[in-house]
Amino acid sequence: MELKFGKKATMAVTKKNTKKKEKQENLKEKRRDETKEKESSKNLQKKSKEKKVRSSLQKKSKVKKVRSSLQKIKLSDDEEEAEKSSQISEYYSEEEETSGDELNDGASPSRTVVARKRGDTNTSGGVSDDNDSFHSAVESDSSEDEVAPRNTIGEVPLEFYKDEEHIGYDVIGRKIKKKDRKDKLDAFLANVDDKKSWRRFIDEYNDEEVELTKKETKMINRILKGKTPHADVNPYEPYVDWFVWEGKGHPLSNAPEPKRRFIPSKSEAKKIKKYVRAIREGRITFEKPKEKEKVYLLWGDDSSSSGKTRGLSYIPPPKAKLPGHEEAYNPSLEYLPTQEEINSYQLMYEEDRPTFIPTSYTSLRSVPAYANFLKELFARCLDLYLCPRVIKKRVNIDPESLKKKLPDPKDLRPYPTTCYIEYKGHSEAVVTISTDSSGQWIASGSTDGTVRVWEVATGRCVRVWEVGSSIRQVAWNPSPDLPILAVSVDQDVLILDTGLGSEEEQGKIKDLLHMQKSTISDESGDAAIVSWLSDDKLGGLRLKHSKTVTSIEWHRKGDYLSTVIPAGESRAIMIHQLSRKGSQRIPFKLHGLPVSTAFHPVRSIFFISTKKNVRVYDLLKEKMIKKIDTGLREVSCIAVHPGGDNVIIGSREGKLCWFDMDLSSVKPYANLKIHKKDITNVSFHRSYPLFASCSEDGKAYVFHGMVYSDLNQNPLIVPLRILQEKNGILDCKFHPRQPWLFTAGANSVIRLYCH
């Protein structure tokens, strides 16, 4: 067993030795091959250099021969024609004898093959120098130093010859074959040992390899660095003053400076405007300045730090106000009050009354002692000693961060923005307007005593009623089957047939407005408050009241109508039923003068607004549900949201209050001070989240008011647009279906604003 193991070990050792010898021999063979390749590459480089030298010598000899040929050409025209014919015949005879390969081998790498003369052959393989020079002299106008390109395809793209074996054609029409290029691996291995490989590049246009010289590489490096190509050039040479200044009394030009140097440039102003506009729109932004690092004393004594001091810190008292021009002994006349102003000071409160009245004296001697000096000094001492002073640490808060972030109005479209149609026909101010449920017609009432019905789309006046006296309010019936109008004129309420609608609807309206006998409702004592009469002149009904009617409002079903009678002892709110021709008072006690009323859009709830409060009643249970304390000086109008849970109230002082019925009845959800004068009307849109307010200051504000179904989320109020008119706006109403707004102006014009 021991012998067997010994034989195996010797066999393994011999195998290892043979493998090492084989590896060494292979390495020696590889090194030999590499040295052979290097020698062959060096030989090839030498041969290429020799070829270049030969080609340069050939070019010089060709130039000489071109000059001699040009002299021969000038001898005579007849001799030239004879020589040309003989040369052409010789060329075709030689072309038959020689092959294309021999011609290509004899041509230089940077020249095309041309016709040869018989008997004159080149040493390198055989193109005639005389014939070449002759053809180059005849066919080309190039300079003597210029070398003809190898590529003869002209402006044809090289991509067309990618898959071809040739790169164009010579003068005769034979194909010029491409040079055989090395593979990428062979080229890489050849470039590793060659130090000058980085100077070489392939000229694809002429299909040849070009090597840059040292001078050319130096020029390229200087150009890349931004210097002059040649190192001999000095760009900072001293300036040579060509003008002789001695003995000259004046400069070159004594002309005055032109006016354009003193006038601001218009082109620069336009550029500045463009930049300003781009900065405002946000197209040009600037980098914010970096905040400086806060430096503080680590071990030093900082007297300003309040944490290190023990006990009370010293707080300097506020400085007294320095005397001004009013305290002068002889102030100017503009500071001296008149006798009327002095008398008016006595009527003021002591807090508002000025403590010092300026007077004028002729000199400083005549100025008496100040009477209130001791009093003011004593009051000053009391303020300093008795008033406690405390250090108040200010909190650095960015005021913009406290603002509520509202959405962009562009994202809340559509809403009314521009005036689209003007309805002209009234001679005096338009006090009230109302739209029908379909949105096709609009009614208006004016102080000229007329009621007009207009077509919304065209602005055409369809019908006119001359009532005689100024109209307070116009209200269109909300039912689409009953196109009738309710008009309040002084003590009467007129219910008029507009004549619109189908024949069936007109038949219903005639039966509804037909009345045989006059009826008197709600008698109190001897006098009746309301009496129902038929009006043959205007074609409708007349409801006569005891006092003037200021406001009317339809129920959503179109059968009930409420009227407000604020004047007199019998100030009351009446509800009329059109189908039964009856009227009755509301069974609630009024607290204050009533201003306007409103029906709930869904439930049987009735809103009554007085000058100070708004009360909400349930008509079925006949009791008050809620009381809203507005906190306003005087309420002018009211509008209920289509959902019924939110109310907006306008006032005579220009304030607009939004109340959420579910949140609070004392504090408004939003209080907007937007108008300078009285708010004449407020209005909600039926389907879009929009509401508007108009005022006597000639402005109508359009708001986005979104009420969410989620009770935990508050309503969103965003101001959208301000619609400006010259005169006051007395009424505003939304279109029932489109986001349009109608405004009634004091200049007798009704305007339609569209999105």
Side-chain angles (χ1 to χ4, degrees), residues 553-555 557-562 575-578 599:
E553 189 74 24
W554 283 100
H555 190 262
K557 292 183 179 179
D559 192 24
Y560 293 95
L561 178 71
S562 69
I575 294 178
H576 313 281
Q577 190 175 5
L578 194 61
F599 286 97

Side-chain angles (χ1 to χ4, degrees), residues 6 37 46 111 134 217 321 324 328 384 430 441 450 498 507 524 526 529 575 589 605 631 636 708:
E37 286 179 359
K46 287 179 182 179
R111 302 279 299 174
F134 173 76
T217 53
K321 186 182 177 183
L384 293 176
V430 181
W441 314 99
T450 59
T498 58
S524 60
D526 298 328
I529 295 175
I575 294 178
K589 186 180 179 181
I605 293 174
S636 61
Y708 300 97

Side-chain angles (χ1 to χ4, degrees), residues 547-717:
K547 297 292 179 181
T548 56
V549 179
T550 58
S551 176
I552 54 177
E553 189 74 24
W554 283 100
H555 190 262
R556 66 180 184 277
K557 292 183 179 179
D559 192 24
Y560 293 95
L561 178 71
S562 69
T563 57
V564 178
I565 309 167
E569 296 178 356
S570 62
R571 55 188 180 190
I573 294 173
M574 305 294 296
I575 294 178
H576 313 281
Q577 190 175 5
L578 194 61
S579 59
R580 295 185 180 181
K581 310 291 189 300
S583 304
Q584 64 177 0
R585 279 188 181 182
I586 57 168
F588 313 115
K589 186 180 179 181
L590 295 175
H591 300 274
L593 289 173
V595 176
S596 62
T597 59
F599 286 97
H600 195 279
V602 181
R603 294 183 287 174
S604 60
I605 293 174
F606 193 56
F607 295 84
I608 300 173
S609 66
T610 59
K611 286 189 175 183
K612 298 289 183 182
N613 305 316
V614 176
R615 287 177 169 82
V616 186
Y617 297 95
D618 192 343
L619 296 175
L620 295 176
K621 297 179 180 179
E622 294 185 0
K623 67 175 184 178
M624 188 176 73
I625 302 170
K626 205 164 196 177
K627 178 187 174 184
I628 300 172
D629 294 327
T630 60
L632 302 171
R633 193 177 299 169
E634 185 177 350
V635 176
S636 61
C637 50
I638 184 175
V640 184
H641 190 267
D645 295 333
N646 295 272
V647 180
I648 52 174
I649 300 167
S651 67
R652 297 286 180 188
E653 56 198 284
K655 284 185 180 180
L656 178 69
C657 298
W658 177 297
F659 281 92
D660 193 340
M661 302 288 288
D662 297 329
L663 291 178
S664 175
S665 59
V666 178
K667 188 178 179 181
Y669 169 69
N671 197 344
L672 307 173
K673 182 70 174 72
I674 49 177
H675 294 285
K676 295 180 181 179
K677 294 184 180 180
D678 301 354
I679 295 176
T680 52
N681 195 20
V682 290
S683 177
F684 272 110
H685 199 284
R686 292 184 187 177
S687 54
Y688 287 90
L690 297 171
F691 70 94
S693 67
C694 59
S695 173
E696 292 178 357
D697 58 0
K699 292 180 181 179
Y701 284 80
V702 182
F703 295 88
H704 174 85
M706 187 68 183
V707 178
Y708 300 97
S709 58
D710 187 6
L711 298 176
N712 294 325
Q713 194 170 1
N714 294 329
L716 176 64
I717 300 172

Side-chain angles (χ1 to χ4, degrees), residues 275-306:
Y275 292 141
V276 170
R277 198 175 300 157
I279 290 165
R280 286 177 179 172
E281 291 176 359
R283 289 185 279 111
I284 296 175
T285 56
F286 301 99
E287 293 182 357
K288 293 183 179 179
K290 295 181 179 178
E291 295 182 357
K292 294 182 179 179
E293 295 181 358
K294 294 181 180 180
V295 181
Y296 60 92
L297 295 171
L298 189 60
W299 292 288
D301 294 331
D302 192 2
S303 58
S304 62
S305 61
S306 59

Side-chain angles (χ1 to χ4, degrees), residues 395-455:
V395 181
N396 294 325
I397 298 172
D398 188 10
E400 293 185 358
S401 63
L402 300 175
K403 292 181 181 178
K404 188 177 180 181
K405 292 183 180 180
L406 298 175
D408 191 4
K410 293 179 182 179
D411 301 334
L412 303 176
R413 290 175 180 174
Y415 56 85
T417 55
T418 54
C419 181
Y420 183 64
I421 298 176
E422 290 185 351
Y423 305 90
K424 295 181 180 179
H426 289 286
S427 58
E428 294 182 13
V430 181
V431 180
T432 176
I433 53 175
S434 180
T435 57
D436 73 324
S437 59
S438 64
Q440 189 178 359
W441 314 99
I442 182 172
S444 62
S446 174
T447 54
D448 59 0
T450 59
V451 177
R452 294 174 182 265
V453 176
W454 312 80
E455 190 176 4

Side-chain angles (χ1 to χ4, degrees), residues 320 355 370-386:
T355 56
Y370 185 49
N372 298 326
F373 176 72
L374 292 174
K375 289 182 180 179
E376 290 185 0
L377 189 64
F378 180 68
R380 168 81 174 163
C381 292
L382 286 176
D383 291 340
L384 293 176
Y385 293 125
L386 298 179

